[in-house]
């Protein structure tokens, strides 16, 4: 359980690692959708009532299917909202800023790359992996503690982190296939787009995107200065590590974290419980239930 968050992000994070020998690699496991906050132990009354094993197994199957259908439906709705959000009038100014910044960096990517230091690049890459793994591991431990102590706030944070990772992966993957950008040092060294047909490409930056997404959720759930310093400090370490390791162009490292912040904020405000946080603008009547 403590390594669940690391496992959830392992596939896209592993794809973002250059084919250089790494000392530290994330665990490999596919992303799963399961809201454990909805699961509970049997009550005292239920322990007093004997239940046949076959009946118990049969009754749990419809409940499991209902949870799966609810999770899939909620994820589909989130994806629809995420893909339509850039076209909302209130977001057009942010779209323009991001596009302008991305365009300016793409035009100067090679010049910026030429001024980066060399040396043992694995040091920077491994440092980014440690920052990412440490962030994910810490959040997993917090979620585990919440489950064991029945802390509803921590349980909500954990379930929203999982949903954020799933939705980030579903945005990240098609962008990787569509962009197909070469990393620094690949091909002609110009960072050309549409050269690959796989996930292991440069644009957007996956490590930075996923770390920013989960950091955004925890800082929204616990908006304390020290939480923000730790969460966004770890994100900055990941970004710097990937940049100094020559794994990404500067423009990749603008778009990745920007999308991660947007996705994390959207998932939080779409599904947060206002009784836990004043920053949640939903009413208690709008809280989702499977």
């Amino acid at each position: 359980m403590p390594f669940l968050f690391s496992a959830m992000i392992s596939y896209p994070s592993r794809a973002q690692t250059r084919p250089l020998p790494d000392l530290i690699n994330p665990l490999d496991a596919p992303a799963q959708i399961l809201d454990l906050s909805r699961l509970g132990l049997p009550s005292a009354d239920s322990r007093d009532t004997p239940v046949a094993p076959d009946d118990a197994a049969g009754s749990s199957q419809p409940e499991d299917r209902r949870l799966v259908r609810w999770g899939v439906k909620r994820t589909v709705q989130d994806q629809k909202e995420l893909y339509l959000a850039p076209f909302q009038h209130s977001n057009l100014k942010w779209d323009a800023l991001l596009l302008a910044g991305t365009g300016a960096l793409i035009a100067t990517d090679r010049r910026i790359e030429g001024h980066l230091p060399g040396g043992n690049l694995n040091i920077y890459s491994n440092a980014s992996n440690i920052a990412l793994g440490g962030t994910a591991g810490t959040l997993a431990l917090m979620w585990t503690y919440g489950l064991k102590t029945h802390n509803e706030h921590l349980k909500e944070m954990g379930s929203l982190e999982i949903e954020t990772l799933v939705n980030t992966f579903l945005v990240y993957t098609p962008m990787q296939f569509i962009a197909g950008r070469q990393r620094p040092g690949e091909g002609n060294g110009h960072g050309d787009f549409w050269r690959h047909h796989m996930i292991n490409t440069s644009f957007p930056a996956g490590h930075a995107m996923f770390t920013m997404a989960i950091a955004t959720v925890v800082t929204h759930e616990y908006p304390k200065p020290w939480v923000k310093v730790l969460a966004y400090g770890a994100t900055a370490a990941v970004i710097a590590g990937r940049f100094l390791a020559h794994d990404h162009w500067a423009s990749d490292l603008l778009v990745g974290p920007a999308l991660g912040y947007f996705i994390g904020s959207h998932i939080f405000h779409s599904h947060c419980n206002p009784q836990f946080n004043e920053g949640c603008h939903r009413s208690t009547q709008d809280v989702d239930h499977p």
Side-chain angles (χ1 to χ4, degrees), residues 50-70:
V51 180
D54 292 341
D55 294 341
S59 61
S60 65
Q61 291 178 1
E63 178 68 15
D64 292 341
R65 288 196 294 268
R66 187 167 71 91
L67 285 171
V68 171
R69 286 197 299 268
W70 175 81

Side-chain angles (χ1 to χ4, degrees), residues 8-90:
M8 289 293 297
I9 58 179
S10 63
Y11 182 60
S13 297
R14 180 165 59 106
Q16 280 288 318
T17 306
R18 294 183 66 188
L20 293 173
D22 264 342
L23 300 177
I24 299 175
N25 292 297
L27 300 176
D28 295 324
Q32 302 289 335
I33 305 174
L34 179 60
D35 190 351
L36 295 181
S37 65
R38 308 301 181 188
L39 304 180
L41 296 174
S43 64
D45 293 337
S46 65
R47 290 197 297 268
D48 295 335
T49 305
V51 180
D54 292 341
D55 294 341
S59 61
S60 65
Q61 291 178 1
E63 178 68 15
D64 292 341
R65 288 196 294 268
R66 187 167 71 91
L67 285 171
V68 171
R69 286 197 299 268
W70 175 81
V72 171
K73 181 179 179 181
R74 182 151 137 162
T75 302
V76 170
Q77 181 62 32
D78 287 335
Q79 284 294 293
K80 178 181 177 182
E81 293 173 357
L82 287 170
Y83 277 99
L84 291 178
F87 302 101
Q88 295 178 0
H89 182 73
S90 60

